[in-house]
Amino acid sequence: MFSPALLLTFVIAAVSASPAPAADPAADLLVSLKTAATQADRVNLLKDGDFKFDFINAQAGVTKGAGGRAVAANVKTFPALIGQGVAMTVGFLEACGMNTPHTHPRATEILYSVNGTLTSGTIGENGSRFVNNTLYAGEGTVFPLGSIHFQANEECKPVTFVSAFNYEDPGTLSAAQRYFGLPPDVVAASLGLSGVEEVVGLEHLIPDNIALGRAECLKRCGLTANVGEQPTTQRQPRLPGNELPVVSESASASSAWTSATASATSAKWSASASASTAY
Ligand SMILES: *[C@@H]1O[C@H](CO)[C@@H](O)[C@H](O)[C@H]1NC(C)=O
Ligand SMILES: *[C@@H]1O[C@H](CO)[C@@H](O)[C@H](O)[C@H]1NC(C)=O
Ligand SMILES: *[C@@H]1O[C@H](CO)[C@@H](O)[C@H](O)[C@H]1NC(C)=O
């Protein structure tokens, strides 16, 4: 008969001697592909089916909002791209859906409208002007590396686009979500505001991409986009350092923050800057 203390000692010894947790075959494959010496070695690590990516039915790499979805084939979702230097996203924009302003930190993009009218806009680095275009079905455009750009479906029915990238891990930096994810007082200062209330009020409305697009399109197509009714799960996580001020229940329930109401309700905002779970 073992004493409980001795039994505990055995258990601890057994646990510390046991091998690492069950390996993740998908992660192991990524490591093998990344470390393969040659492309021939990579091909031998993959099955034929691994060279196919189903954009229509993909579960991984999907960015979804009230205005549609974008499906990304990149090194993570489509490991056959490792070592190939290219990636692709297919966008399924609902009526008036907008792929909201964003940049790709590591790739230039060439976008093709498959079957409808899109508007697109691009702003590059300091000194470059705004480039504005309407793309009809069968037309394409280029978004230079690092530029802020968007595409919006101007049709009252869904439109599909295809975007190719000249790097296998292009990355996406969603402009509104990431900018408003900086410390609220820094955002306020950069916007020329004296307080953080308007920053916080706007931040909690930022809709998930793909979002509902321009008011003019929605009106023309008989659609409505009520303030605060789109999902907002893509906002920047809060840590000590970029935390939002605490807000009362009644203020957080309000879905219609505007700069006009912000000052009237600023008294509801606590000066304390402890991390808030309300946002
Ligand atoms: C950024 O752009 C503005 C306007 O083009 C220019 O005046 C400013 O000097 C630029 N800032 C930097 C750091 O290049
Ligand atoms: C420029 O943008 C506006 C607003 O999106 C659009 O209505 C207009 O058609 C665009 N101009 C061109 C030349 O595409
Ligand atoms: C474009 O293609 C999509 C997917 O097949 C379809 O749902 C949509 O209705 C098409 N849009 C137009 C404007 O033809």
Side-chain angles (χ1 to χ4, degrees):
M1 193 63 193
F2 297 118
S3 75
L6 194 55
L7 191 58
L8 187 63
T9 307
F10 284 141
V11 169
I12 290 169
V15 167
S16 42
S18 65
D24 172 354
D28 286 352
L29 176 63
L30 289 183
V31 171
S32 302
L33 290 167
K34 284 270 187 191
T35 54
T38 66
Q39 174 59 18
D41 294 337
R42 278 190 288 272
V43 172
N44 289 334
L45 289 165
L46 296 164
K47 300 185 292 291
D48 288 12
D50 294 333
F51 289 89
K52 271 196 347 177
F53 186 86
D54 183 347
F55 285 94
I56 306 271
N57 299 302
Q59 300 296 310
V62 179
T63 297
K64 200 169 186 302
R69 72 189 200 285
V71 181
N74 56 35
V75 279
K76 190 167 185 181
T77 60
F78 188 31
L81 292 181
I82 290 172
Q84 306 312 310
V86 297
M88 181 168 280
T89 290
V90 175
F92 302 94
L93 304 178
E94 299 295 337
C96 302
M98 178 184 286
N99 189 9
T100 55
H102 60 278
T103 72
H104 301 290
R106 288 174 298 279
T108 292
E109 170 176 356
I110 181 162
L111 176 145
Y112 175 79
S113 173
V114 172
N115 67 347
T117 303
L118 306 176
T119 47
S120 73
T122 313
I123 293 186
E125 67 219 70
N126 278 6
S128 49
R129 69 177 182 84
F130 177 62
V131 175
N132 181 45
N133 271 303
T134 301
L135 306 173
Y136 299 102
E139 294 184 334
T141 189
V142 62
F143 300 120
L145 174 67
S147 62
I148 303 177
H149 56 271
F150 64 87
Q151 310 95 48
N153 178 6
E154 299 297 334
E155 309 248 1
C156 301
K157 54 182 189 168
V159 167
T160 302
F161 71 79
V162 175
S163 284
F165 300 92
N166 68 340
Y167 189 63
E168 60 206 46
D169 177 20
T172 298
L173 189 163
S174 301
Q177 283 90 342
R178 300 294 82 79
Y179 173 68
F180 276 89
L182 293 165
D185 55 351
V186 171
V187 177
S190 76
L191 292 174
L193 302 170
S194 54
V196 299
E197 294 82 8
E198 287 148 296
V199 173
V200 176
L202 289 171
E203 193 276 345
H204 93 270
L205 295 176
I206 298 172
D208 284 352
N209 198 37
I210 306 290
L212 295 174
R214 297 176 211 283
E216 180 280 324
C217 185
L218 296 168
K219 189 172 175 212
R220 176 163 44 79
C221 296
L223 300 169
T224 51
N226 294 322
V227 172
E229 287 186 357
Q230 297 183 60
T232 62
T233 64
Q234 297 168 7
R235 292 147 60 219
Q236 182 69 19
R238 299 290 161 174
L239 299 166
N242 70 343
E243 58 213 351
L244 294 166
V246 172
V247 61
S248 72
E249 282 298 310
S250 59
S252 72
S254 157
S255 61
W257 270 82
T258 66
S259 54
T261 59
S263 60
T265 49
S266 63
K268 292 178 183 167
W269 295 84
S270 155
S272 123
S274 62
S276 164
T277 52
Y279 291 94

